[in-house]
């Protein structure tokens, strides 16, 4: 989600509040100053506060780069050790091993073993598949076959080696969701809470909604699930869902909003409410009430302060998770928290 002027303004207001409460008597405080104007100073920690999630995402991206590099380095060193045994160079060993495999089993047999009847090529965002017997395939199949043979060799080498990695992913920042305007269901007394920060108008949120519902169904007897609105500013859909909550119909109502095709205006909202046999007069009154709007707006501003900047965001027991659309990762972390 891109930040609009509204969010930027909210950030500035929050930063001003934070600066008013920042300690200024530290001997090392000047080291953290990153801007000054009219006698005012801005500290690095003020910026770090509101980009907490973005910084964490960057750390995760860097960790993934390091993880892939480490995996590649382990592969190279494993192959180099085998090459040293035969007093060969790295490349000589790979070529010798590949040629030995081809001589022993034959190209056609190896192509079938490694399922290389066709070769997948990529160009920009397009994927192309060519047969190995085509002119294009014949020109490059030896390289694909060599890669498959070497990967198979590496798998066999790793089975006989104890490989211990000490490269750990970054620890996610802790986010305190207390006092935020949220809606809860599931086991409200559970020690494990899953907060979904989402937006009815966000395409990624719409796609992820069935996934989150399936996770709720799997864990509703032992986990507390919360839903929190986040957008550039309070939307009509959010205000209407908050009004629906006053009739204890929030969860059904939000399901209908996510399933709705098209722009969510008052016509769409009241049609959904009518189909749910809700009290339309009460709904209209609650939508017009400023309290609900202010609660949503305050929560959006607080989320900015907490470093949340995008949707959907999943927070499990106060910790951001890396992949918000991976059921495997979300369930793994839930299980981990439940086992504590």
């Amino acid at each position: 989600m891109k930040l609009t002027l509204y969010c930027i303004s909210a950030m500035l207001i929050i930063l001003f509040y934070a600066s008013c409460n920042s300690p200024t008597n530290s001997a090392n405080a000047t080291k953290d100053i990153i801007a000054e104007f009219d006698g005012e100073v801005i500290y690095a920690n003020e910026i770090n506060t509101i980009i907490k999630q973005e910084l964490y995402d960057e750390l995760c991206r860097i960790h993934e780069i390091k993880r892939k590099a480490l995996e590649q380095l382990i592969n190279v060193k494993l192959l180099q050790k085998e090459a040293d045994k035969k007093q060969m160079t790295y490349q000589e060993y790979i070529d010798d091993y590949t040629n030995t495999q081809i001589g022993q089993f034959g190209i056609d047999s190896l192509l079938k073993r490694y399922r290389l009847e066709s070769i997948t090529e990529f160009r920009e965002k397009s994927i192309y598949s060519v047969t190995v017997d085509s002119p294009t395939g014949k020109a490059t199949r030896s390289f694909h076959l060599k890669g498959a043979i070497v990967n198979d060799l590496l798998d066999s080498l790793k089975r006989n080696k104890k490989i211990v990695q000490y490269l750990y992913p970054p620890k996610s920042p802790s986010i305190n969701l207390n006092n935020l305007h949220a809606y809860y269901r599931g086991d409200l007394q559970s020690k494990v809470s899953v907060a979904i920060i989402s937006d009815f108008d966000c395409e990624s949120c719409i796609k992820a909604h069935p996934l989150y519902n399936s996770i709720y169904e799997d864990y509703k007897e032992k986990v507390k699930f919360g839903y929190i609105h986040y957008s550039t500013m309070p939307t009509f859909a959010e205000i209407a869902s908050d009004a629906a909550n006053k009739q204890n119909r929030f969860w059904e109502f939000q399901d209908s909003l996510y399933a709705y095709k098209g722009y969510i205006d008052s016509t769409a909202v009241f049609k959904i409410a009518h189909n749910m046999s809700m009290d339309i007069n009460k709904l209209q009154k609650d939508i017009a009430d400023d309290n609900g709007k202010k609660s949503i707006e305050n929560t959006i501003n607080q989320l900015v302060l907490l470093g949340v900047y995008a949707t959907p965001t999943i927070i499990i027991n106060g910790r951001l998770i890396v992949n918000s659309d991976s059921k495997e990762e979300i369930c793994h972390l839930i299980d981990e928290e439940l086992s504590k």
Side-chain angles (χ1 to χ4, degrees):
M1 175 188 294
K2 294 182 179 178
L3 293 174
T4 65
L5 289 175
Y6 178 88
C7 263
I8 294 172
S9 298
M11 283 184 177
L12 293 175
I13 292 170
I14 292 163
L15 276 173
F16 176 74
Y17 174 80
S19 67
C20 291
N21 291 276
S22 296
T24 57
N25 58 351
S26 170
N28 297 318
T30 54
K31 294 181 180 180
D32 298 321
I33 294 174
I34 58 174
E36 293 184 67
F37 63 95
D38 294 338
E40 297 290 335
V41 295
I42 295 178
Y43 295 94
N45 67 314
E46 296 177 60
I47 295 296
N48 292 339
T49 297
I50 64 170
I51 59 171
K52 188 183 298 183
Q53 181 179 349
E54 190 168 8
L55 288 175
Y56 174 60
D57 288 346
E58 284 299 306
L59 288 174
C60 289
R61 185 181 66 82
I62 292 169
H63 169 74
E64 183 61 16
I65 292 172
K66 288 182 177 180
R67 188 193 64 78
K68 289 179 179 179
L70 176 60
E71 187 68 25
Q72 187 63 30
L73 187 57
I74 290 172
N75 291 343
V76 169
K77 286 185 176 291
L78 283 172
L79 293 173
Q80 187 62 60
K81 286 180 71 72
E82 296 302 309
D84 291 343
K85 292 176 184 178
K86 296 194 173 186
Q87 297 183 327
M88 294 180 174
T89 66
Y90 176 84
Q91 192 60 54
E92 286 173 343
Y93 173 72
I94 290 176
D95 290 341
D96 179 70
Y97 184 85
T98 301
N99 291 334
T100 300
Q101 291 292 301
I102 291 174
Q104 182 176 353
F105 298 104
I107 289 180
D108 291 338
S109 175
L110 289 171
L111 288 173
K112 289 181 180 178
R113 176 193 295 182
Y114 298 118
R115 298 179 179 177
L116 291 175
E117 290 86 355
S118 63
I119 296 170
T120 301
E121 302 281 358
F122 300 89
R123 180 171 174 76
E124 294 185 338
K125 295 183 179 180
S126 300
I127 302 175
Y128 303 90
S129 181
V130 296
T131 63
V132 292
D133 294 327
S134 68
T136 304
K138 286 179 180 179
T140 61
R141 71 180 184 180
S142 62
F143 301 108
H144 290 276
L145 182 57
K146 179 185 286 188
I149 291 172
V150 171
N151 283 336
D152 198 27
L153 169 61
L154 283 167
D155 287 341
S156 66
L157 292 174
K158 289 176 181 178
R159 281 194 292 270
N160 299 317
K161 296 284 190 301
K162 182 181 179 180
I163 301 174
V164 182
Q165 298 187 20
Y166 303 106
L167 184 64
Y168 301 110
K171 188 176 181 181
S172 66
S174 178
I175 294 184
N176 187 348
L177 300 178
N178 293 337
N179 303 319
L180 293 183
H181 193 59
Y183 313 90
Y184 293 102
R185 62 177 173 173
D187 180 3
L188 302 185
Q189 305 304 317
S190 174
K191 65 178 183 179
V192 178
S193 66
V194 176
I196 301 167
I197 301 174
S198 193
D199 177 6
F200 294 122
D201 297 322
C202 161
E203 184 178 352
S204 297
C205 300
I206 294 169
K207 290 180 179 178
H209 183 66
L211 167 66
Y212 300 152
N213 270 351
S214 70
I215 294 173
Y216 166 73
E217 290 298 330
D218 291 342
Y219 289 93
K220 62 184 178 182
E221 302 298 332
K222 46 189 175 181
V223 172
K224 178 182 178 181
F225 286 85
Y227 184 96
I228 302 173
H229 295 304
Y230 184 68
S231 53
T232 54
M233 63 183 67
T235 66
F236 187 75
E238 291 169 350
I239 295 167
S241 68
D242 187 68
N245 184 59
K246 292 178 172 59
Q247 297 186 43
N248 297 318
R249 307 296 293 275
F250 173 81
W251 296 102
E252 302 163 71
F253 199 80
Q254 64 120 23
D255 283 340
S256 296
L257 290 177
Y258 275 117
Y260 188 78
K261 305 298 181 183
Y263 178 63
I264 302 174
D265 57 9
S266 58
T267 302
V269 161
F270 290 119
K271 180 180 179 181
I272 291 170
H274 178 76
N275 291 339
M276 291 174 57
S277 301
M278 292 177 62
D279 184 334
I280 303 298
N281 290 331
K282 177 172 173 51
L283 184 69
Q284 289 176 318
K285 180 181 177 182
D286 290 332
I287 287 175
D289 186 1
D290 282 340
N291 289 330
K293 301 172 189 177
K294 289 179 179 178
S295 295
I296 295 170
E297 182 181 30
N298 289 338
T299 289
I300 290 172
N301 290 338
Q302 285 300 309
L303 287 172
V304 172
L305 176 62
L306 291 169
V308 175
Y309 72 97
T311 52
T313 292
I314 303 296
I315 298 176
I316 299 175
N317 274 8
R319 295 287 178 186
L320 286 165
I321 72 162
V322 180
N323 193 349
S324 61
D325 61 1
S326 169
K327 183 171 184 177
E328 181 180 3
E329 181 175 347
I330 295 171
C331 291
H332 170 72
L333 290 173
I334 292 174
D335 291 335
E336 200 173 66
E337 291 298 315
L338 286 171
S339 67
K340 290 181 179 179

